[in-house]
Amino acid sequence: SHVHTIASVSDIYRRTMRTNTSTDTNIATFSSAFGVGQFVAADMRYIRISNLDNTNHVILTLTNSNSDEVAVKLDKGQSFIICPDLTGGVAVTSFELSASTTGGAVTNGTLTFTPGVQDLTSISAKADTASVDIELYMAMV
């Protein structure tokens, strides 16, 4: 086993939600202010999204402040973990997300992760064949 303790975690957010096949479900947004469904980007220290379904996969879409997107297939029963910077969270220069093309939908092609480009602004999910329950678990300072 491997244990990693993150110092100064003061807030845990855990939510189970359903995502469908017709539209992307926005599961979290990140900015400089806290609000309903919105979290402070610089405070993020751990993000885990789990597919609770035993049959269908989910497509997660991570979007940055330049509207670049990266899509990840999250298979049945699997988890996707984002490990933000331990001092700057998912804010720019701490957590970098960029794509080879800008300002559009996810396309097939080369994706690059370039230091200091854009901050993570949202995560959404869309089910494959039938509605799927997912769990969002985040730790913040």
Side-chain angles (χ1 to χ4, degrees):
S1 72
H2 175 77
V3 177
H4 177 75
T5 302
I6 301 171
S8 304
V9 168
S10 61
D11 195 11
I12 298 292
Y13 179 85
R14 181 182 174 270
R15 179 177 178 205
T16 301
M17 62 194 85
R18 180 160 289 221
T19 184
N20 61 49
T21 59
S22 61
T23 59
D24 283 323
T25 301
N26 192 17
I27 60 175
T29 59
F30 308 95
S31 73
S32 60
F34 183 79
V36 176
Q38 180 173 293
F39 304 90
V40 178
D43 291 349
M44 283 295 127
R45 294 299 180 266
Y46 177 85
I47 303 169
R48 183 182 70 232
I49 303 156
S50 298
N51 180 350
L52 303 178
D53 199 82
N54 59 6
T55 306
N56 300 296
H57 71 265
V58 171
I59 300 296
L60 299 176
T61 302
L62 287 71
T63 306
N64 71 12
S65 56
N66 196 43
S67 297
D68 299 321
E69 296 179 327
V70 174
V72 177
K73 177 183 176 182
L74 183 59
D75 210 0
K76 58 187 176 188
Q78 299 294 314
S79 293
F80 181 72
I81 297 173
I82 299 171
C83 300
D85 183 82
L86 292 176
T87 57
V90 294
V92 70
T93 72
S94 298
F95 181 86
E96 297 80 22
L97 172 63
S98 66
S100 59
T101 58
T102 59
V106 176
T107 59
N108 291 330
T110 304
L111 295 174
T112 57
F113 292 89
T114 308
V117 178
Q118 301 290 326
D119 52 330
L120 180 64
T121 56
S122 68
I123 302 172
S124 62
K126 186 175 180 182
D128 170 42
T129 307
S131 294
V132 170
D133 287 334
I134 58 174
E135 178 188 58
L136 174 63
Y137 183 92
M138 300 188 298
M140 297 153 275
V141 296

